[in-house]
Amino acid sequence: MPAVSKGDGMRGLAVFISDIRNCKSKEAEIKRINKELANIRSKFKGDKALDGYSKKKYVCKLLFIFLLGHDIDFGHMEAVNLLSSNRYTEKQIGYLFISVLVNSNSELIRLINNAIKNDLASRNPTFMGLALHCIANVGSREMAEAFAGEIPKILVAGDTMDSVKQSAALCLLRLYRTSPDLVPMGDWTSRVVHLLNDQHLGVVTAATSLITTLAQKNPEEFKTSVSLAVSRLSRIVTSASTDLQDYTYYFVPAPWLSVKLLRLLQCYPPPEDPAVRGRLTECLETILNKAQEPPKSKKVQHSNAKNAVLFEAISLIIHHDSEPNLLVRACNQLGQFLQHRETNLRYLALESMCTLASSEFSHEAVKTHIETVINALKTERDVSVRQRAVDLLYAMCDRSNAQQIVAEMLNYLETADYSIREEIVLKVAILAEKYAVDYTWYVDTILNLIRIAGDYVSEEVWYRVIQIVINRDDVQGYAAKTVFEALQAPACHENLVKVGGYILGEFGNLIAGDPRSSPLIQFNLLHSKFHLCSVPTRALLLSTYIKFVNLFPEIKTTIQDVLRSDSQLKNADVELQQRAVEYLRLSTIASTDILATVLEEMPPFPERESSILAKLKKKKGPGTVTDLEEIKKERSSDMNGSAEPASVNASAVSTPSPSADLLGLGAAPLTNSAPPPSSSGSLLVDVFSDSASAVAPLAPGSDDNFASPDLASSEVVSEEPADTVHDADELFHKFVCKNNGVLFENQLLQIGLKSEFRQNLGRMFIFYGNKTSTQFLNFTPTVICSDDLQPSLNLQTKPVDPTVDGGAQVQQVVNIECVSDFMEAPILNIQFRYGGTFQNLSVKLPITLNKFFQPTEMSSQDFFQRWKQLSNPKQEVQNIFKAKHPMDAEITKAKIIGFGSALLEEVDPNPANFVGAGIIHTKTTQIGCLLRLEPNLQAQMYRLTLRTSKEAVSQRLCELLSEQF
């Protein structure tokens, strides 16, 4: 910076500032300011032209007055005039005034832009620096429009001085952040990367900040920066503290630049070049080694700089997730920080270890620190550190330590801060369910959870425990006994009353044989809580009472007296009044058989992902350890994943729990005549379970008639380019009778479908979920129809974003038109680049002929008349085959309905047979179809007969339907 001459002291400004500071009151200050403003205004309007020094002095005074909080409505033109001065101090004050006081809508903006252009073209580094600083400080869209094309040229010009390059890089970064659409990508992008090799470390630091931001949006444009960044990082890491004297901070060489380079490398997967990859590994090992060395200074600045580089290196190791040795070393280093006296280091260590716990390479190493983390949970004074400890315990939990971790969380919950109690409750509920081997332990844990933190137990938690108890025959008696004992406490939380009311209403008969829990004692115990509960809980208890009428006829009179009381029949709440009236009437006039039918035990719930996990994800936000580690670490079955297929009456289907999924695949909500736990959430497929969910037939007409597909049958995608179609026939055939679910899944990618069809038209939503923390690049899904299929099926696909961020999903819409009948299925081919490796996979897209079925109702007479008309041998196809699944009548009905045909009741003389009818709609014709399925339970065989007006259609439909049984 040029030296300030003796005349630049601006004594008048110093006197004015002194006068302001000496004012005894606000009024005196305003009076002095008004006097000065009048003086300045008269000077600016005077006939005598002011010299540059006077203009500068008065503009400085105006700027000082503005900073004191007073409005300035003149002097702008004089500030603009200062920009044309050749004296540094005058130009500097002009730019400073403009940066602070001139807005982007000012009429003077054109004059200001002209002055800036003149300074940028002057090649005077001092003036260019002032102009660039002004552009960056204002940073408006107008500035970006005027200079976004000029600044890159200055940045990459060979004759630009280092100080100007620094300013240009940071100015361009500012404009890109405010108006990214106005910064053009061009030839300069390849040249700006080479600034990473610049001799001046200040230029390298500024360029790294710019390239990192640009690479996040345009990774392909700047991928050559990886090798240069590794090379520069290697030179810094291996240098001595004396080699980079101007950029060494408390014996740490260039810590800010090192951190920026490590962040830049996190924009990309591990380098493909073995030499570059090896050099980067050496750098990271060197950083980890230096962390073990004794400190070269006791000052906090030294440890802060050293640890900043170390934590950024660990973040890069976690991001790459490809070097087991480095991951374990990083985990051990973080383990040392868990007991560091510095709170911030303990916090950062816990946070980083949460991410490490999700890596298969370092999960076991993280688990070795469980005692330290539990101790932190108990002794830490800072609530934010305790919260990170809870997160880490949740992340490191698996079957081997689940009971210990859940017990420690429950112990901590009693004294936990109110701000994190709900989150801990959700995590305890998820872990108890996910890793329960003994379901009695699960029931005990949840009831203990309600006892300790009842106010923080959301509806999703007690809904879930009820669903699990209903679905598990082996735990129902124990649950009834446990809740009965828990309700005997003098003070019970209302959520416990809800759980107790529901479970005793369903399974109270299992403990009624014990005199200590006789029907009357159960009823009196529940009714003693009635007057203390809210209206929704009272409504649930009334439903329990009417259930008791069916379970225990001996206390029917007692219950009727309660329902008949004025407090119920004349209740101010219309819901309670209506329930009391209807339940009393039902118990009075209904026969025993009718009561048994209406009030029968709740059927098992369809198995879905836990709604508690969905709530936790929503609470924590996307991209956090709560959702990503669920996919990446040991993937265990949901505790109910092994439940037996449940036979459910189509007229009384339970309401399933709400849940969430990476792909967000929803299904139609179901209803039930009884009041089960319900929520407004959608049904979604379970992406976290390796086992097939239980199959529960749903109401006729429901699109999603079956649970999620067996994810274990998904094949692993080859790391190399391959043309093999991932046949996964079992997975493909599961979509014959349903429209929603997971089509394919491996460690990188999940593909889900949601479809709807009407006559010969259909629409399919394909969801691609990135299960990693690394971007997918050049993501290109293509739907391919063979030459034979193209004339019969018109498919229109919409393009998707070629970049899929880690943990994100993209959606593709496919519009479908069936022109004529077809036999094959289209192929979905997906190509993308992950971690430097090209990925190529193909799966069959489940667009099958039966999707264009429209059900047709007909009488027995019409059916057999039509059946005889289709008696030509070429019109009939018959298949006799062995049953592959349990021969359950209700499941069979649901599959026939899901296949698309109408299920015709009381048509076949043999009531054990199943008969269906429908019409296949194509653009060119309509094809009638009749089917008959004859099960032989003794031989475990089926005979399937299909008759249509077209032989090929009969053959294809027979093939598709045979695979379902």
Side-chain angles (χ1 to χ4, degrees):
M1 183 185 294
V4 179
S5 64
K6 187 178 179 181
D8 287 336
M10 293 189 287
R11 184 172 176 275
L13 175 63
V15 171
F16 173 62
I17 293 173
S18 178
D19 288 347
I20 293 294
R21 287 177 176 170
N22 291 330
C23 288
K24 302 296 184 183
S25 64
K26 188 68 177 175
E27 291 75 15
E29 178 185 308
I30 293 173
K31 184 177 180 181
R32 178 69 183 89
I33 287 172
N34 288 337
K35 178 182 178 182
E36 192 63 38
L37 287 174
N39 178 50
I40 296 171
R41 189 177 272 109
S42 66
K43 295 292 185 183
F44 284 167
K45 289 185 177 180
D47 297 334
K48 184 179 178 182
L50 294 174
D51 58 10
Y53 169 78
S54 299
K55 282 183 184 176
K56 177 187 71 172
K57 179 178 66 174
Y58 293 134
V59 168
C60 258
K61 287 183 177 182
L62 290 175
L63 183 57
F64 179 72
I65 292 169
F66 177 78
L67 295 177
L68 287 175
H70 301 272
D71 291 333
I72 299 298
D73 56 2
F74 69 99
H76 299 75
M77 193 63 202
E78 284 70 19
V80 172
N81 290 338
L82 286 175
L83 300 183
S84 59
S85 171
N86 287 324
R87 293 173 64 88
Y88 171 78
T89 55
E90 294 173 9
K91 191 181 288 286
Q92 179 194 36
I93 295 300
Y95 275 124
L96 182 59
F97 185 93
I98 287 164
S99 298
V100 175
L101 273 89
V102 175
N103 62 50
S104 57
N105 298 323
S106 171
E107 297 175 357
L108 301 173
I109 202 72
R110 186 173 297 175
L111 293 173
I112 295 169
N113 286 352
N114 287 336
I116 292 174
K117 285 179 181 176
N118 292 336
D119 283 338
L120 291 178
S122 69
R123 313 311 295 174
N124 181 322
T126 306
F127 293 171
M128 291 176 76
L130 286 173
L132 290 167
H133 295 167
C134 180
I135 296 170
N137 286 333
V138 175
S140 65
R141 191 169 180 83
E142 289 73 17
M143 286 287 185
E145 289 173 347
F147 301 109
E150 185 69 23
I151 295 172
K153 298 175 184 176
I154 296 171
L155 179 60
V156 298
D159 58 346
T160 304
M161 290 187 65
D162 292 337
S163 61
V164 178
K165 283 183 181 178
Q166 283 180 263
S167 299
L170 296 175
C171 180
L172 189 59
L173 174 60
R174 161 73 166 158
L175 294 183
Y176 184 80
R177 284 174 173 167
T178 56
S179 306
D181 56 308
L182 296 179
V183 178
M185 298 290 117
D187 296 338
W188 64 273
T189 55
S190 58
R191 297 172 65 186
V192 78
V193 169
H194 292 284
L195 291 179
L196 295 176
N197 272 336
D198 200 278
Q199 294 182 348
H200 193 283
L201 286 189
V203 174
V204 180
T205 305
T208 306
S209 297
L210 174 63
I211 294 169
T212 302
T213 302
L214 294 173
Q216 289 170 352
K217 291 289 186 182
N218 309 280
E220 285 299 312
E221 294 271 358
F222 299 94
K223 63 183 178 181
T224 55
S225 64
V226 172
S227 58
L228 297 176
V230 171
S231 175
R232 174 61 78 175
L233 181 64
S234 177
R235 278 178 275 166
I236 295 172
V237 169
T238 56
S239 66
S241 58
T242 54
D243 294 346
L244 307 170
Q245 289 185 354
D246 292 342
Y247 287 87
T248 296
Y249 181 78
Y250 287 87
F251 303 102
V252 181
W256 281 275
L257 178 54
S258 299
V259 167
K260 289 177 185 292
L261 289 169
L262 289 164
R263 284 185 181 167
L264 171 58
L265 292 172
Q266 288 175 57
C267 296
Y268 294 93
E272 298 176 26
D273 187 337
V276 177
R277 191 164 185 164
R279 196 170 184 183
L280 176 58
T281 301
E282 288 176 12
C283 289
L284 296 172
E285 287 177 343
T286 304
I287 293 172
L288 291 173
N289 290 337
K290 285 186 175 181
Q292 301 294 328
E293 296 174 0
K296 297 179 180 178
S297 171
K298 292 183 179 180
K299 293 192 174 181
V300 69
Q301 291 92 337
H302 170 73
S303 61
N304 283 348
K306 188 176 175 182
N307 291 330
V309 177
L310 174 62
F311 273 102
E312 208 59 52
I314 290 174
S315 295
L316 179 60
I317 292 169
I318 294 170
H319 170 75
H320 284 172
D321 195 19
S322 58
E323 296 288 341
N325 181 46
L326 286 177
L327 284 161
V328 173
R329 285 196 62 187
C331 180
N332 294 335
Q333 181 61 55
L334 292 171
Q336 295 177 20
F337 286 142
L338 291 179
Q339 295 177 304
H340 200 279
R341 59 185 177 83
E342 176 61 42
T343 304
N344 288 337
L345 278 181
R346 296 197 301 274
Y347 179 94
L348 291 171
L350 289 166
E351 189 174 48
S352 298
M353 287 187 85
C354 279
T355 317
L356 271 175
S358 66
S359 170
E360 60 181 313
F361 301 120
S362 55
H363 182 70
E364 290 301 319
V366 172
K367 282 167 57 180
T368 61
H369 301 283
I370 185 170
E371 295 300 333
T372 308
V373 180
I374 290 172
N375 187 55
L377 190 64
K378 295 175 180 177
T379 59
E380 278 291 349
R381 288 181 292 179
D382 190 314
V383 62
S384 60
V385 181
R386 293 198 297 273
Q387 185 163 6
R388 294 287 79 79
V390 170
D391 289 343
L392 180 52
L393 284 174
Y394 176 78
M396 69 167 64
C397 188
D398 58 23
R399 292 202 183 279
S400 66
N401 57 18
Q403 293 200 12
Q404 180 188 3
I405 288 177
V406 167
E408 292 295 344
M409 283 188 170
L410 283 172
N411 290 338
Y412 173 62
L413 189 56
E414 298 197 40
T415 56
D417 299 81
Y418 295 114
S419 59
I420 62 174
R421 283 195 178 187
E422 184 181 3
E423 187 179 321
I424 296 174
V425 166
L426 291 174
K427 288 180 174 176
V428 168
I430 290 167
L431 296 179
E433 175 184 342
K434 185 173 184 180
Y435 298 115
V437 178
D438 179 1
Y439 296 106
T440 59
W441 171 75
Y442 169 76
V443 171
D444 288 339
T445 300
I446 299 300
L447 294 181
N448 204 16
L449 193 64
I450 295 173
R451 179 186 63 80
I452 295 171
D455 289 339
Y456 298 91
V457 175
S458 61
E459 289 184 336
E460 286 81 2
V461 174
W462 73 266
Y463 286 178
R464 190 64 178 166
V465 70
I466 286 173
Q467 291 171 21
I468 289 168
V469 169
I470 286 177
N471 286 13
R472 301 289 312 184
D473 294 341
D474 55 340
V475 81
Q476 289 166 357
Y478 180 81
K481 177 175 177 291
T482 307
V483 295
F484 175 77
E485 292 172 353
L487 285 170
Q488 291 177 348
C492 292
H493 193 275
E494 190 166 331
N495 282 333
L496 182 59
V497 177
K498 292 176 182 176
V499 174
Y502 203 102
I503 290 178
L504 291 178
E506 295 294 326
F507 311 114
N509 58 310
L510 299 178
I511 61 171
D514 188 332
R516 293 170 297 179
S517 54
S518 65
L520 186 59
I521 293 176
Q522 289 185 43
F523 172 73
N524 289 334
L525 180 61
L526 285 175
H527 196 54
S528 67
K529 315 291 182 184
F530 186 89
H531 65 286
L532 301 172
C533 297
S534 62
V535 169
T537 306
R538 292 185 188 186
L540 186 149
L541 288 177
L542 288 177
S543 298
T544 301
Y545 298 167
I546 192 65
K547 287 267 187 175
F548 277 179
V549 170
N550 178 47
L551 289 177
F552 314 124
E554 63 269 29
I555 61 170
K556 177 177 179 179
T557 307
T558 305
I559 294 172
Q560 286 178 333
D561 289 342
V562 171
L563 295 175
R564 199 177 285 115
S565 64
D566 287 350
S567 59
Q568 305 303 336
L569 294 181
K570 297 182 180 180
N571 197 293
D573 185 87
V574 66
E575 174 69 20
L576 294 181
Q577 185 186 87
Q578 183 174 352
R579 287 194 185 215
V581 170
E582 292 181 358
Y583 290 164
L584 178 62
R585 192 68 177 150
L586 179 64
S587 67
T588 304
I589 67 171
S591 66
T592 305
D593 291 341
I594 292 175
L595 277 176
T597 303
V598 174
L599 303 172
E600 66 180 344
E601 185 179 302
M602 284 293 293
F605 288 86
E607 292 306 329
R608 301 292 175 183
E609 179 203 343
S610 169
S611 58
I612 312 171
L613 187 59
K615 185 175 180 68
L616 182 61
K617 286 184 200 172
K618 184 177 179 182
K619 184 176 180 62
K620 296 291 283 185
T624 59
V625 69
T626 54
D627 52 0
L628 293 180
E629 113 279 342
E630 290 293 335
I631 300 169
K632 295 176 71 177
K633 77 177 189 181
E634 177 188 359
R635 305 172 70 219
S636 302
S637 300
D638 184 279
M639 67 175 286
N640 285 307
S642 58
E644 293 299 316
S647 175
V648 183
N649 190 318
S651 65
V653 186
S654 62
T655 303
S657 66
S659 57
D661 175 53
L662 182 66
L663 299 177
L665 302 176
L670 309 174
T671 59
N672 189 338
S673 57
S678 61
S679 171
S680 58
S682 304
L683 284 178
L684 307 176
V685 297
D686 181 358
V687 299
F688 298 110
S689 173
D690 276 347
S691 61
S693 297
V695 177
L698 307 185
S702 171
D703 283 336
D704 191 1
N705 277 352
F706 300 96
S708 61
D710 186 352
L711 304 185
S713 66
S714 301
E715 299 181 27
V716 178
V717 182
S718 170
E719 292 278 322
E720 299 299 323
D723 296 325
T724 307
V725 175
H726 288 264
D727 218 41
D729 279 337
E730 182 182 353
L731 212 66
F732 174 82
H733 286 303
K734 285 186 178 180
F735 277 87
V736 170
C737 292
K738 71 174 201 171
N739 291 328
N740 304 338
V742 174
L743 175 65
F744 176 87
E745 182 169 23
N746 65 7
Q747 293 298 319
L748 307 180
L749 178 68
Q750 185 191 53
I751 306 173
L753 300 181
K754 189 174 183 180
S755 316
E756 55 185 4
F757 295 88
R758 182 171 298 172
Q759 295 188 352
N760 70 311
L761 301 177
R763 175 178 294 170
M764 179 176 285
F765 297 90
I766 308 176
F767 301 88
Y768 305 98
N770 182 347
K771 294 172 53 179
T772 73
S773 56
T774 304
Q775 279 187 332
F776 291 166
L777 304 176
N778 302 329
F779 188 82
T780 312
T782 309
V783 179
I784 303 168
C785 290
S786 65
D787 293 340
D788 293 336
L789 186 58
Q790 280 183 354
S792 304
L793 204 62
N794 283 340
L795 300 179
Q796 293 180 344
T797 58
K798 297 186 179 180
V800 300
D801 193 327
T803 301
V804 185
D805 292 333
Q809 71 168 40
V810 293
Q811 172 185 304
Q812 185 176 35
V813 180
V814 182
N815 291 319
I816 308 160
E817 181 185 31
C818 179
V819 179
S820 61
D821 57 276
F822 58 95
M823 302 298 114
E824 302 175 19
I827 302 297
L828 175 63
N829 176 259
I830 300 140
Q831 299 180 354
F832 60 94
R833 190 166 290 278
Y834 164 78
T837 306
F838 178 70
Q839 307 286 334
N840 184 6
L841 65 94
S842 297
V843 294
K844 283 184 181 179
L845 207 55
I847 302 175
T848 50
L849 187 59
N850 66 294
K851 298 296 182 185
F852 304 98
F853 235 138
Q854 292 295 311
T856 304
E857 296 289 344
M858 56 176 65
S859 65
S860 176
Q861 182 180 352
D862 293 339
F863 178 85
F864 284 108
Q865 182 180 350
R866 179 65 178 154
W867 183 266
K868 290 176 182 177
Q869 290 173 356
L870 296 171
S871 57
N872 190 314
K874 291 186 177 181
Q875 295 175 329
E876 178 182 286
V877 173
Q878 190 173 90
N879 185 22
I880 300 173
F881 54 94
K882 189 80 175 174
K884 305 183 188 70
H885 306 288
M887 298 179 70
D888 185 287
E890 295 301 327
I891 293 178
T892 303
K893 288 180 182 178
K895 287 187 176 181
I896 292 173
I897 293 168
F899 190 68
S901 70
L903 185 65
L904 306 181
E905 303 283 356
E906 299 179 1
V907 169
D908 198 291
N910 184 348
N913 294 345
F914 302 94
V915 174
I919 297 173
I920 299 286
H921 286 259
T922 71
K923 185 177 181 181
T924 55
T925 186
Q926 295 183 6
I927 304 166
C929 172
L930 303 178
L931 67 88
R932 187 183 192 189
L933 182 68
E934 301 167 84
N936 185 332
L937 292 173
Q938 187 175 1
Q940 290 290 295
M941 301 280 285
Y942 285 104
R943 178 166 65 183
L944 174 64
T945 308
L946 269 122
R947 291 188 180 184
T948 74
S949 53
K950 198 167 184 180
E951 181 182 10
V953 173
S954 300
Q955 188 67 46
R956 180 56 176 161
L957 293 179
C958 186
E959 289 172 4
L960 291 171
L961 192 54
S962 296
E963 290 295 331
Q964 303 305 306
F965 306 104

